[in-house]
Amino acid sequence: MARFRVLALVAAMALVVVAAPMSFPSELTDQSHPVTFNKDVLPVLEKNCQTCHRPGEIAPMSFLSYESTRPFAKAIKSAVLSKQMPPWFADAEYGEFRNSPKLTNDEIKTLVAWADTGAAEGNPLDRIPTRKWEAEGWRTKPDVVVSMPQAFRVPAQGAGEIREFFIPNPFKEDTWVRSIEIRPGNTSVVHHVILQVADQTRDAQLRSSLGSAAALSVIRTNGGVVTNGFGDGASAYSGISGVLSKLQELKTGQGSFMTMEAVYAPGTTPIDFRYSDSAKLIHGGGQLRIEVHYTPNGKETLDQTKIGFTLAKEPVKRSFVLMAPEHMVDPRKPIPAGDTNWETTGEITFSEDAELAWFMPHMHLRGKDMTFQLIYPDGRMETVLSARFNFNWQLGYEVEKPIKIPKGTKMVVTAHHDNSANNKANPNPSEAVVWGDLTGQEMMVPWFGVIVNRDSRPETIASYRPRDLVLDDTLRALDRMLTSGDTGMFAFE
């Protein structure tokens, strides 16, 4: 799927060149002086494009130099006129976001005029001082860097896999950080990365009982088979953490949230918590859990993901918490083959006052759009984000001014999937699609970020009721094992 992502980006830029008319309003190309790369275009690219368009980043071509940019002059023109680039999928009618692309009309005119007048390089003396990116490509220079202990080999072929890597926590005591940046070692095969402080209680108990960190690779029970952390049919659990969260839901009747320290997906930008006058608490000791979803691209390769932390230098009063409801859809109801607009909804209730600061819709190849709507305790309704979804470029949306959420506010999330042949990304429109973590399966996960008092506990911030509260044989067996410590009921292969 990573190869598909790169080809799709190149194709998108090429197609707009073919489809776009070859004449444009004269006011777009009427410049008072010859437009050149060194004097006019490079400052626009550095401000708006080079974050992604540089070596080692997600974009398939670099815009750092004239030589690497010149072949794409016409594509750049068409992409900015059609609003395909910079990528942004939020409906402008709802919400204001600080990280939305802000190409001005003058900047668009400059890029168009450069393409229309021969895409000249210009005088080298006019070239602005080149931006110095941090070593190894960091967007913000980190104070602390951790890494997967060794490179992981990703095979050339396969459906993809989710891997967990555990590394020592660099913080021995609870530490507040102002930003966290995840840098995949190979963006061409990394679908997403999630960073968490590893659960030191029941998670550790299950791992110890099963004998190894990979013990759920194959577990046979009377109810079915769990392979590589994924179950047959409706019994789909994302490894050990997925099993534990499902057991917890069955006991409490409340949906579980995955709380994350940071997340990466193609197109995301690292969150700098300073803009919202907040910070993120990293609990000290133990281990960090790095979950990486790999998607083979046709060539065997290696990945060694790194994570950089910027430390808080001043006292912290407000905590930034990233949350993801894990089971908002009913896994017993797959998306029908050929359906162009399959709708799923979920409702989250805030249990305490908070501020909404960040959204990130997460789906897979059939994902179409996701909308977040607030229903306040007084009955007032407000749509705060409605965004198209693009699997190849998954954006996070940083609210310009965090939204105050009184206790009792409900957040209704509505998503649509297109499982028809109209969806060019759909690998098999003739088959129903089950819910699960693999790229060929589907997800509906509304990741969101809230700001709360520094003493708030993540588990008390919000709640929801999961759609599927069924205790199948796999979960019964695991629950008995955790209670009794007896692992003899499992056969490992």
Side-chain angles (χ1 to χ4, degrees):
M1 285 306 155
R3 178 173 59 181
F4 169 84
R5 177 172 69 234
V6 172
L7 291 176
L9 286 169
V10 176
M13 296 192 77
L15 284 173
V16 293
V17 174
V18 174
M22 297 310 295
S23 61
F24 295 90
S26 59
E27 61 267 20
L28 286 179
T29 57
D30 181 19
Q31 299 284 324
S32 59
H33 66 274
V35 178
T36 68
F37 179 84
N38 287 330
K39 185 174 183 178
D40 307 289
V41 173
L42 183 57
V44 177
L45 299 178
E46 183 176 283
K47 174 187 172 186
N48 299 284
C49 310
Q50 289 182 0
T51 297
C52 296
H53 286 273
R54 55 189 170 104
E57 296 301 322
I58 188 61
M61 70 284 290
S62 171
F63 290 164
L64 294 186
S65 70
Y66 175 75
E67 291 74 19
S68 64
T69 308
R70 174 62 181 84
F72 301 98
K74 294 292 186 182
I76 291 171
K77 165 188 167 179
S78 295
V80 298
L81 285 174
S82 64
K83 307 297 184 182
Q84 290 198 10
M85 291 287 166
W88 189 251
F89 310 121
D91 187 331
E93 185 176 346
Y94 306 110
E96 295 183 4
F97 303 95
R98 65 184 298 270
N99 61 324
S100 63
K102 294 180 173 64
L103 271 180
T104 67
N105 287 335
D106 285 344
E107 290 170 336
I108 293 174
K109 289 180 183 180
T110 294
L111 297 175
V112 170
W114 182 60
D116 284 347
T117 56
E121 180 177 12
N123 189 338
L125 297 178
D126 289 336
R127 185 182 176 94
I128 63 173
T130 303
R131 176 175 178 177
K132 300 298 183 184
W133 295 96
E134 294 292 339
E136 299 182 331
W138 298 104
R139 300 190 188 192
T140 301
K141 184 178 180 180
D143 298 312
V144 177
V145 176
V146 297
S147 171
M148 289 164 44
Q150 59 190 26
F152 177 75
R153 187 173 300 279
V154 182
Q157 305 293 334
E161 58 184 327
I162 292 180
R163 289 280 178 161
E164 294 178 318
F165 303 92
F166 292 86
I167 61 174
N169 189 339
F171 306 112
K172 304 307 178 186
E173 300 177 349
D174 290 357
T175 302
W176 291 93
V177 299
R178 289 298 190 186
S179 67
I180 305 173
E181 181 174 352
I182 298 174
R183 288 198 58 78
N186 190 334
T187 57
S188 71
V189 292
V190 175
H191 167 269
H192 77 247
V193 182
I194 292 173
L195 173 69
Q196 296 174 292
V197 175
D199 189 336
Q200 302 300 307
T201 54
R202 203 177 188 199
D203 191 347
Q205 179 188 355
L206 181 54
R207 293 178 189 282
S208 175
S209 298
L210 293 177
S212 74
L216 277 180
S217 59
V218 178
I219 300 176
R220 295 191 181 276
T221 72
N222 294 330
V225 181
V226 177
T227 305
N228 192 31
F230 303 96
D232 277 350
S235 299
Y237 314 111
S238 177
I240 290 175
S241 60
V243 171
L244 293 173
S245 67
K246 198 64 182 175
L247 286 172
Q248 184 67 20
E249 287 179 348
L250 290 164
K251 291 179 182 298
T252 65
Q254 294 296 316
S256 61
F257 287 92
M258 174 186 287
T259 54
M260 308 166 289
E261 317 314 326
V263 62
Y264 163 89
T268 56
T269 55
I271 305 174
D272 190 326
F273 311 117
R274 283 171 289 199
Y275 91 90
S276 58
D277 190 27
S278 63
K280 173 163 276 298
L281 178 64
I282 307 297
H283 290 289
Q287 294 181 309
L288 298 181
R289 173 182 176 268
I290 305 172
E291 175 188 294
V292 188
H293 183 175
Y294 289 111
T295 55
N297 66 0
K299 181 181 179 181
E300 185 177 284
T301 187
L302 299 174
D303 170 68
Q304 191 168 12
T305 291
K306 297 181 178 180
I307 299 150
F309 301 86
T310 303
L311 305 181
K313 304 297 194 300
E314 59 282 324
V316 173
K317 295 182 179 180
R318 308 198 314 162
S319 175
F320 196 109
V321 180
L322 293 177
M323 306 179 69
E326 297 193 71
H327 302 116
M328 293 198 78
V329 298
D330 189 339
R332 298 167 299 181
K333 297 180 180 180
I335 304 174
D339 197 299
T340 62
N341 204 45
W342 181 258
E343 183 174 288
T344 52
T345 61
E347 183 178 285
I348 298 166
T349 301
F350 287 90
S351 309
E352 61 181 72
D353 294 346
E355 293 183 16
L356 268 171
W358 178 85
F359 305 97
M360 185 176 172
H362 186 70
M363 298 183 277
H364 286 167
L365 295 171
R366 286 91 170 175
K368 187 176 180 180
D369 59 66
M370 190 176 289
T371 298
F372 296 73
Q373 184 181 58
L374 298 177
I375 304 176
Y376 294 97
D378 61 5
R380 182 169 57 93
M381 302 174 67
E382 179 184 13
T383 298
V384 290
L385 172 67
S386 183
R388 292 176 290 112
F389 181 77
N390 188 322
F391 178 78
N392 303 308
W393 211 284
Q394 300 183 38
L395 299 178
Y397 299 88
E398 300 178 20
V399 180
E400 183 73 47
K401 183 178 180 181
I403 304 164
K404 293 186 181 300
I405 305 296
K407 177 181 178 180
T409 299
K410 299 182 185 300
M411 183 166 70
V412 179
V413 182
T414 304
H416 295 97
H417 290 77
D418 183 352
N419 192 25
S420 75
N422 296 332
N423 177 4
K424 292 181 173 55
N426 191 349
N428 196 344
S430 63
E431 290 188 359
V433 182
V434 299
W435 302 97
D437 288 349
L438 293 179
T439 303
Q441 300 170 326
E442 265 309 328
M443 301 189 79
M444 185 278 218
V445 183
W447 287 335
F448 63 97
V450 293
I451 302 168
V452 292
N453 185 282
R454 60 170 284 160
D455 298 322
S456 291
R457 294 179 296 136
E459 62 269 22
T460 67
I461 294 173
S463 65
Y464 71 99
R465 183 168 178 80
R467 295 299 180 91
D468 176 21
L469 287 174
V470 178
L471 184 64
D472 63 20
D473 289 343
T474 302
L475 290 171
R476 285 192 183 94
L478 285 167
D479 198 34
R480 289 198 304 272
M481 184 207 69
L482 284 170
T483 303
S484 66
D486 178 16
T487 61
M489 65 189 74
F490 295 97
F492 296 96
E493 300 179 353

